[in-house]
Amino acid sequence: MKHDQIPAERRALLRLALALGAATAVHMIAADPAGTPTRPGGEPPAPAAGPPARVQAGPGSYRLRPMTSGTPPRFRPAPPPVRTRPFEELPGLGSDAMVLSFDDGPDPRYTPDILATLRRYDVRAMFFVCGEMAADNRDLLREMSDDGHVVGNHSWSHPLIPGLPRGAVRDELGSTSEVIEKTLGAPPLWYRAPYGAWNRHSFEIGAALGMEPMAWTVDTLDWTTPGTDTIVRRVEEGAAPGVVVLSHDAGGNRSQSVAALRRYLPALLERGYRPTVPRRT
């Protein structure tokens, strides 16, 4: 998101969203082979997981088509069904796999350091970007894609989705997908509702745009700036096969998130975990 979060406001919104996000496992998700890292030194991993801003929406025709006809076939899996719950964990990725995800960016103050750490350990992650941030930082969007990370849709301005009319939800998701597609050449295949607050409109519109809904299993609560040690502890204690870890690379001071990643990522690799990204089949 473009502006730093106000903690009290965010806590209130999160309370409203608590009952709206849960998970289900679906069989069409697999680990992306390109997301299989090696250990530092080349060894293989051990076997074993505010009010919304005005939306500058693109042409309405984009938001009415589930996929882009000109996109190469490898970027056009079958359109997903309309879900009633988001994915929260991905147990089908393997007994040693887990997913790291980062929300709200890209932010030139913090995203480059996160990308550098992931690159150092040859690890792929998911980045759920806000359209207003992506539009201003397309170079970072390209860097994410070039490094093999999954770029997902996190709405345009980070609003509380259940409070919006259907047309506004379509604008928030559609305009963000358009920025991603125009920048990277392919539309996003995943989206995450701000605050984890989903509703029927978001599931229906997300599916119409060709996206699957992704929540999380382990919330680092890094947006509360609890301290680097606390973020590291939450990730290491929550690590398990198939879990999805939620962190942030924008929306406030994310220096603790950057520092924490530098510590917990090599620790996870040492424990035999294989941070990876899902692919659609």
Side-chain angles (χ1 to χ4, degrees):
M1 62 191 65
K2 191 173 287 287
H3 304 292
D4 289 355
Q5 287 283 17
I6 301 173
E9 178 188 44
R10 186 159 189 169
R11 289 191 185 97
L13 289 171
L14 284 167
R15 283 196 294 270
L16 291 175
L18 282 177
L20 297 174
T24 187
V26 182
H27 300 296
M28 42 69 69
I29 307 300
D32 188 341
T36 303
T38 58
R39 289 184 182 278
E43 298 176 353
R54 181 178 178 80
V55 176
Q56 302 297 322
S61 59
Y62 177 88
R63 300 193 299 274
L64 296 178
R65 54 185 173 161
M67 288 289 171
T68 304
S69 59
T71 301
R74 66 191 181 97
F75 289 120
R76 290 191 285 115
V82 176
R83 307 289 180 191
T84 57
R85 300 157 72 104
F87 292 93
E88 189 176 77
E89 56 185 6
L90 297 170
L93 294 183
S95 60
D96 60 348
M98 56 188 294
V99 175
L100 304 180
S101 67
F102 300 88
D103 283 9
D104 296 355
D107 188 321
R109 296 173 295 176
Y110 308 108
T111 305
D113 288 335
I114 288 175
L115 289 172
T117 299
L118 295 171
R119 192 180 304 120
R120 175 184 178 188
Y121 292 100
D122 196 19
V123 165
R124 260 48 93 196
M126 302 184 78
F127 287 85
F128 289 91
V129 303
C130 289
E132 62 182 4
M133 297 294 289
D136 289 344
N137 298 283
R138 292 173 188 258
D139 55 336
L140 289 175
L141 211 60
R142 294 186 189 96
E143 189 174 344
M144 291 173 184
S145 179
D146 290 345
D147 282 359
H149 304 301
V150 170
V151 178
N153 187 323
H154 197 42
S155 80
W156 184 268
S157 60
H158 207 278
L160 189 62
I161 292 292
L164 300 181
R166 184 181 181 90
V169 176
R170 185 172 59 246
D171 286 346
E172 286 280 336
L173 296 180
S175 54
T176 302
S177 285
E178 185 169 24
V179 167
I180 294 171
E181 181 174 8
K182 285 185 175 180
T183 305
L184 303 182
L189 301 181
W190 300 89
Y191 74 106
R192 174 175 284 164
Y195 310 104
W198 314 78
N199 67 358
R200 179 172 55 86
H201 294 328
S202 66
F203 287 123
E204 291 174 352
I205 293 166
L209 292 171
M211 299 185 295
E212 287 279 17
M214 174 70 79
W216 58 86
T217 322
V218 178
D219 191 347
T220 65
L221 295 174
D222 58 338
W223 59 270
T224 66
T225 58
T228 300
D229 289 346
T230 298
I231 297 172
V232 171
R233 176 179 54 79
R234 287 170 177 164
V235 174
E236 293 186 346
E237 290 181 354
V243 304
V244 179
V245 178
L246 169 63
S247 299
H248 297 79
D249 63 328
N253 185 333
R254 301 296 175 240
S255 57
Q256 293 180 3
S257 307
V258 171
L261 177 66
R262 293 181 183 136
R263 287 174 49 187
Y264 67 68
L265 181 51
L268 292 175
L269 292 170
E270 184 64 28
R271 289 170 60 184
Y273 285 108
R274 178 176 55 94
T276 187
V277 291
R279 62 181 172 89
R280 298 260 301 276
T281 60

